[in-house]
Amino acid sequence: MPLRDTSAHQAATDRTFQVDLRGLVDLLSHHLYSSPRVYLRELMQNAVDALTARHAIEPHGAFGIRLYADGSVVRVEDDGVGLTEGDVHTFLATIGRSSKRAEGIAEQRADFIGQFGIGLLSCFLVADEIHVLSRSARTPDAPAVEWRGRGDGSYTVRTLPASARPRPGTTVTLTPRADAGEWTRPAQVHALARHFGSLLRHQVTFDDGTGESAPVNPEPAPWSRTYPTPGARARALAAYGEEVFGFTPLDTIEVDLPAVGLKGIACVLPEAVPAGRRHGHRVHVKGMLLSEQAEEILPEWAFFVRCVVDAESLRPTASRESLYEDDTLAAVRDALAERLRAWIARAAASDPDLLHRFLQAHHLAVKSLAVHDDEILRMLLPWLPFETTDGHCTLDEFARTHRTVLVTSSVEEFRQVAAIASAAGLGVVNGGYTYDRELVHRLPEIRPEAGVADLDPATLTAHLDPVDRETELAAAAYLAQARDALSVFDCDVALRTFQPASAPALLVDSREARHERTRSQLAREQEGGLWGDILGALRQEAPRAQLILNQLNPLVRTAVTIDEPELARTSAEALYGQAAMLSRRPLRPAESSLINRSFLDLLAHALRKDS
């Protein structure tokens, strides 16, 4: 017989979340908004959206926004669509619901800046009470409605005679807290209004309590104005770029993407920036400043420009301080990248002076682009500067002088061989910098007559002149002592003649060779075990470094005649140490110790000789 459940059964009851408004405002201030100053942007944004809705029903009306701040209150008044009593209960008393969903407005949502119903909450960042007085333009005989919201989460609503607000629209009044003076002083309110709203399409004025109204946005965006000549337009755009960013642009690129309603300028920086450093860009959405640090609007390689743009279709994030990553933003980024490519192509084709100044400052950015963009590669590779044995010059200049262009795989290898290779007539490019080796190897695609090859030690030593047999026999004993002294570094020693004569020795080594010797050494230490078998199977004949002594150097000619074994070893170690330091590669601990020891031994020998 089944057991009976004698426990009490109760029906589930729906409950409503209780919202701690103070806690929510604290969350907004610390995690959503970057600064309390955004309260004014949110108020202006709500006013702009209300005007947009008003224009939908009265297309030819002359409407505007009026700001007021006298130190005791901050007020934002608009001639927008206004609210009915039902709208107030629906939208101002319900956290998280957007007034943009109001009847007759939702289908025109793309015309509005805001997409979230949290704008008014930002006012609690600077005030404990928000007073809203509104009258709807949709219902001509509607009464005025007053709403008062307080920071403790309570609010009141009441209707007033239409005379309380003779014209449709909304007035929001804040009584700032004592600790919010930094953001609500009249001068600061005016500055914030200009900062956020300088490109707004609606008229905005400001009154500091004196009764005198000053325009916040007296002129349209500079790219929307008309100018008498193209030169005057270019100068005006450059002056605007300088005003916004604080530098005189090398050039100003006007951008216009009608598909997304984007217009603006890209200012080319006059000086180089650190590799990979990305500047923020000023992005306005429908005239309202959204972000001053919108890195995502351009690709990473475009760090040579800073943009200020105004767009219709870009989507802001919840904080309205950055852009939402979606297909529209990706398309805008690609389109702006194409505009920058077109500017580079135009400079290359018609303005060589501008191109030269641009490449001097931003060759790294162009190199990073050329690696992935065949069109830019074809246009600009011959004109890009590289470090070579002929100094800094373009590949086009270098390839005219050297039929075969040799390229090193690292900066240290270039430092090792540059002086000797130059004296030997070899044309070597430093391929150790980012992108350089890959780009140099693509030169034949642009200049089929040019040959490119990697530089290896054998290529260099083949261009050094051997000494005569009699000289080499006379130096044989010294060379044997030197090889024995340097065997610990897997280094051979040879005697040659090369220019410049001031260079006593050349250390020919490569990073790959050093790695191979290190692996071989590890295999020898692990012989007999499984790891030793694995490394032994991988082991090749370990390439040796080579210390090449210069017979043309007076010091070397003296050194090879030394018949005292210890002094011969010490001098060889000193020559090796000096050549290693000149190569500018990191010294191993054993090499640093050798340099110190050889110096002290030579000093001691000199002192004994003088005594």
Side-chain angles (χ1 to χ4, degrees):
M1 181 176 178
L3 296 175
R4 294 182 59 187
D5 184 0
T6 58
S7 61
H9 293 273
Q10 293 183 348
T13 302
D14 287 338
R15 298 181 182 274
T16 302
F17 281 106
Q18 300 300 307
V19 177
D20 178 357
L21 189 57
R22 291 191 184 278
L24 182 57
V25 171
D26 181 71
L27 180 68
L28 295 179
S29 65
H30 287 93
H31 300 286
L32 184 64
Y33 294 125
S34 61
S35 165
R37 69 177 185 167
V38 298
Y39 83 92
L40 189 65
R41 182 197 65 192
E42 295 292 339
L43 289 179
M44 293 174 67
Q45 191 162 281
N46 288 342
V48 169
D49 286 344
L51 292 180
T52 302
R54 180 80 181 269
H55 275 292
I57 57 178
E58 299 180 53
H60 304 295
F63 309 122
I65 301 170
R66 294 167 293 281
L67 308 180
Y68 177 91
D70 63 1
S72 59
V73 297
V74 175
R75 187 164 60 241
V76 178
E77 181 178 358
D78 68 70
D79 300 320
V81 70
L83 300 171
T84 64
E85 183 180 2
D87 292 335
V88 168
H89 284 290
T90 301
F91 302 122
L92 298 189
T94 306
I95 295 173
R97 182 174 297 176
S98 172
S99 61
K100 315 311 181 294
R101 298 189 181 93
E103 181 182 355
I105 298 180
E107 67 273 12
Q108 300 173 34
R109 188 183 182 102
D111 293 333
F112 299 92
I113 301 171
Q115 298 289 327
F116 306 91
I118 57 176
L120 265 185
L121 286 182
S122 66
C123 296
F124 285 120
L125 299 176
V126 298
D128 285 326
E129 182 174 285
I130 305 170
H131 176 252
V132 178
L133 181 63
S134 187
R135 181 180 170 192
S136 176
R138 298 181 185 280
T139 308
D141 57 351
V145 183
E146 180 190 64
W147 178 89
R148 289 183 184 272
R150 288 169 285 277
D152 60 6
S154 63
Y155 70 92
T156 58
V157 179
R158 63 173 179 160
T159 58
L160 301 174
S163 59
R165 200 182 196 288
R167 295 184 299 176
T170 301
T171 301
V172 180
T173 304
L174 309 179
T175 302
R177 294 195 307 268
D179 62 353
E182 177 183 359
W183 308 110
T184 57
R185 293 193 304 268
Q188 180 71 298
V189 172
H190 190 203
L192 290 176
R194 288 187 58 82
H195 179 72
F196 290 120
S198 62
L199 299 186
L200 286 174
R201 292 84 184 263
H202 303 285
Q203 184 186 54
V204 184
T205 60
F206 174 77
D207 181 353
D208 63 0
T210 62
E212 297 290 332
S213 294
V216 168
N217 52 343
E219 295 182 294
W223 46 82
S224 299
R225 306 172 202 165
T226 56
Y227 300 91
T229 64
R233 182 179 185 85
R235 288 189 294 273
L237 294 179
Y240 181 72
E242 183 172 3
E243 176 187 345
V244 170
F245 296 123
F247 63 83
T248 302
L250 184 66
D251 197 19
T252 305
I253 309 164
E254 191 164 358
V255 292
D256 185 0
L257 306 178
V260 292
L262 183 146
K263 292 185 177 182
I265 56 174
C267 298
V268 182
L269 290 157
E271 298 177 350
V273 294
R277 176 181 174 186
R278 299 183 67 186
H279 285 289
H281 307 285
R282 289 176 64 97
V283 176
H284 299 251
V285 175
K286 301 178 179 68
M288 184 70 73
L289 178 63
L290 179 78
S291 174
E292 298 175 88
Q293 300 296 326
E295 295 181 355
E296 61 273 20
I297 200 168
L298 285 181
E300 290 186 7
W301 55 260
F303 53 81
F304 56 89
V305 297
R306 294 193 69 181
C307 291
V308 52
V309 299
D310 185 22
E312 294 286 335
S313 303
L314 294 178
R315 180 181 170 191
T317 59
S319 67
R320 289 191 277 269
E321 295 185 332
S322 59
L323 295 171
Y324 188 84
E325 187 69 45
D326 57 10
D327 291 343
T328 302
L329 179 58
V332 166
R333 185 163 50 237
D334 291 343
L336 290 177
E338 189 56 39
R339 294 295 190 277
L340 297 183
R341 289 190 186 94
W343 175 82
I344 294 173
R346 187 167 61 252
S350 61
D351 198 337
D353 179 62
L354 174 61
L355 179 67
H356 174 71
R357 288 184 287 124
F358 170 66
L359 291 180
Q360 272 192 320
H362 301 295
H363 57 272
L364 184 59
V366 178
K367 286 178 180 179
S368 68
L369 177 58
V371 167
H372 307 290
D373 192 311
D374 290 343
E375 182 181 353
I376 294 295
L377 180 79
R378 287 191 297 271
M379 285 190 301
L380 295 183
L381 180 59
W383 314 113
L384 289 172
F386 290 82
E387 185 179 9
T388 76
T389 46
D390 291 351
H392 283 83
C393 61
T394 67
L395 277 188
D396 188 63
E397 295 169 332
F398 196 66
R400 290 177 192 167
T401 308
H402 303 281
R403 184 176 182 83
T404 299
V405 176
L406 301 173
V407 58
T408 65
S409 59
S410 68
V411 174
E412 66 187 52
E413 289 176 23
F414 180 81
R415 298 284 188 262
Q416 289 178 31
V417 305
I420 288 87
S422 178
L426 296 177
V428 183
V429 177
N430 185 351
Y433 295 115
T434 307
Y435 312 118
D436 282 14
R437 184 167 175 265
E438 181 178 356
L439 288 172
V440 172
H441 273 286
R442 297 189 67 179
L443 180 62
E445 299 177 26
I446 316 302
R447 297 281 189 271
E449 69 279 6
V452 177
D454 285 325
L455 177 69
D456 58 45
T459 303
L460 181 62
T461 54
H463 284 77
L464 305 182
D465 295 328
V467 297
D468 59 73
R469 184 168 181 75
E470 181 178 343
T471 301
E472 188 162 14
L473 286 174
Y478 178 84
L479 295 177
Q481 292 279 1
R483 292 187 186 108
D484 183 62
L486 301 179
S487 60
V488 67
F489 299 116
D490 290 315
C491 182
D492 197 5
V493 184
L495 187 63
R496 298 285 188 272
T497 62
F498 54 86
Q499 294 293 340
S502 59
L506 168 67
L507 181 59
V508 179
D509 199 6
S510 68
R511 184 181 301 172
E512 291 76 12
R514 292 197 300 277
H515 288 172
E516 180 60 33
R517 291 197 299 274
T518 300
R519 188 173 66 178
S520 297
Q521 177 65 29
L522 181 59
R524 289 194 295 271
E525 294 172 356
Q526 298 289 338
E527 282 181 359
L530 176 61
W531 184 239
D533 293 340
I534 294 172
L535 290 177
L538 295 174
R539 181 170 51 194
Q540 304 171 357
E541 182 64 30
R544 293 170 65 83
Q546 198 171 31
L547 180 67
I548 303 176
L549 304 179
N550 186 4
Q551 177 64 19
L552 298 180
N553 183 268
L555 179 63
V556 172
R557 289 202 300 270
T558 301
V560 297
T561 64
I562 297 173
D563 55 9
E564 184 180 335
E566 285 303 317
L567 182 58
R569 293 175 62 89
T570 300
S571 65
E573 290 172 343
L575 288 168
Y576 175 89
Q578 191 255 3
M581 288 191 295
L582 288 178
S583 71
R584 301 186 188 181
R585 64 169 171 80
L587 296 176
R588 291 172 285 181
E591 291 172 329
S592 298
S593 177
L594 173 140
I595 291 171
N596 292 332
R597 186 180 67 251
S598 62
F599 170 76
L600 293 175
D601 288 348
L602 288 175
L603 181 59
H605 176 82
L607 292 175
R608 285 197 304 271
K609 185 177 179 181
D610 292 340
S611 60

